[in-house]
Amino acid sequence: MIIDLPDTTVSKVAKQLVKVREEGGAVALGRVLTLVISARNGVAEAAIDAANDASREHPMRVIVVTTGEGEAHIDAQIRIGGDAGASEVIVLRAYGDAASNEESLITGLLLPDAPVVAWWPDEAPSDPASSPLGKIAQRRITDAATSPDVRDRLSLRGRTHAPGDTDLAWTRLTHWREQLAAVLDQPPFEAVTAVDVRGAAGSPSTALLAAWLQLALQVPVRWSYENPERWSEGIKSVRLSRASGDILLERTEPGVAVLTQPDQPDHDLVLPRRTLRECLAEELRRLDPDVLYGRVITAGWEQLGPPEAVA
């Protein structure tokens, strides 16, 4: 069910939510958190779809805030039932002076005594933790992949990092980190002497994977961008050099990777790019600070050298 509330106020939206629960039996008691999404109109629907899918694992209230120019007013929309997955979605479109303070827009709509997670699916504040929404959130989710200048964006994330910050470029690395850790847990237990990471030019995950390996292994890490004509999306390969030979984990095509090790047959692995829903659901599983991400985006990033020329 979708309820449109044109030219309204936050107080009227809150009263309408109470009315819907009383008349339709929808309750908020099962909601475990409030997810606040700050997005441009062009990306808001994709973010809502991802949140609706993730809500089947994490029932929540979703508040979407978009802003625009024009005469000061607020248009709102409430989505419940099949139009909102296992969540209840409130869309606030604020214009003019009504859009000047995002925090005041959502304060009266937050679930009582429930954690707040703020998510910027596209352009995020330069310092999320000190932004109006970031100040009231336990977790703050950004996505460096939406920035055209990956290195500058990651450097900024490192300089302004605060406990509770995370980035979906880091979340997309989970399966890569699992595979590489599993390989190094097998014999022969030799030290890694050098690392080579390659990926697409627009992939911040490539840089973060290199920073993680730099932090974890404390060996020279070479990283570079592939020629866009040969590879245009995500991580391409990781090579770990050891005395007995190189370990190579390489995507031969999107979604499929080959693991090559000395004196062993090659192994084909399913390694697809993770969907927005998968990444969001993973981040919502933990509301405590991601300490490892904090170390990677600060200490690991500082130790990592610049990328080499396009391969």
Side-chain angles (χ1 to χ4, degrees):
M1 178 170 64
I2 297 178
I3 302 170
D4 288 310
L5 300 170
D7 197 8
T8 188
T9 64
V10 174
S11 176
K12 291 179 180 179
V13 175
K15 290 178 180 178
Q16 184 64 48
L17 278 171
V18 173
K19 181 180 179 181
V20 168
R21 288 198 295 271
E22 291 177 345
E23 294 180 354
V27 297
L29 296 178
R31 313 300 183 203
V32 297
L33 60 90
T34 301
L35 175 65
V36 181
I37 303 173
S38 178
R40 292 178 294 110
N41 281 321
V43 300
E45 286 302 324
I48 293 172
D49 288 344
N52 286 345
D53 285 344
S55 72
R56 304 185 195 284
E57 182 178 339
H58 311 279
M60 57 188 164
R61 173 174 290 178
V62 179
I63 304 174
V64 184
V65 181
T66 66
T67 59
E69 301 295 330
E71 184 179 349
H73 73 284
I74 299 172
D75 293 333
Q77 188 178 77
I78 298 174
R79 306 180 189 181
I80 59 174
D83 296 296
S87 64
E88 50 191 13
V89 179
I90 305 161
V91 182
L92 301 175
R93 297 183 175 92
Y95 301 89
D97 290 342
S100 61
N101 191 330
E102 290 180 318
E103 181 182 357
S104 65
L105 285 175
I106 67 166
T107 299
L109 300 174
L110 299 175
L111 290 174
D113 302 321
V116 177
V117 178
W119 177 28
W120 295 270
D122 52 350
E123 185 175 351
S126 57
D127 186 353
S130 64
S131 68
L133 293 183
K135 290 178 180 178
I136 62 174
Q138 283 73 41
R139 291 295 303 274
R140 295 166 293 275
I141 305 172
T142 56
D143 191 351
T146 61
S147 172
D149 195 325
V150 169
R151 189 164 177 81
D152 283 353
R153 177 60 61 184
L154 291 179
S155 296
L156 178 62
R157 290 285 160 261
R159 292 195 302 271
T160 62
H161 177 76
D165 290 355
T166 192
D167 197 282
L168 295 184
W170 170 252
T171 320
R172 295 185 186 103
L173 289 177
T174 298
H175 294 329
W176 279 88
R177 294 192 293 118
E178 289 173 344
Q179 290 291 344
L180 293 171
V183 169
L184 294 178
D185 279 342
Q186 301 172 7
F189 302 106
E190 299 175 325
V192 174
T193 58
V195 176
D196 181 85
V197 181
R198 295 171 181 259
S203 169
S205 295
T206 300
L208 284 175
L209 183 58
W212 172 65
L213 290 166
Q214 176 70 70
L215 182 68
L217 300 175
Q218 293 296 309
V219 298
V221 175
R222 175 181 180 267
W223 64 291
S224 59
Y225 296 130
E226 284 282 347
N227 188 315
E229 295 180 359
R230 297 203 298 265
W231 194 259
S232 60
E233 190 174 24
I235 299 167
K236 171 62 174 174
S237 66
V238 178
R239 183 183 298 273
L240 307 176
S241 299
R242 299 193 298 189
S244 60
D246 290 355
I247 299 169
L248 177 63
L249 181 59
E250 181 177 25
R251 273 191 178 130
T252 53
E253 58 185 271
V256 179
V258 176
L259 176 62
T260 304
Q261 303 179 80
D263 303 321
Q264 294 190 34
D266 291 351
H267 296 281
D268 293 334
L269 304 173
V270 178
L271 198 60
R273 281 179 59 81
R274 307 187 72 194
T275 65
L276 187 59
R277 181 265 170 201
E278 290 173 327
C279 292
L280 180 61
E282 179 179 324
E283 286 301 332
L284 295 179
R285 289 185 196 120
R286 57 179 302 167
L287 297 176
D288 57 315
D290 189 337
V291 176
L292 180 57
Y293 167 73
R295 293 180 59 213
V296 169
I297 199 64
T298 54
W301 183 251
E302 289 178 358
Q303 296 174 25
L304 189 67
E308 299 195 2
V310 174

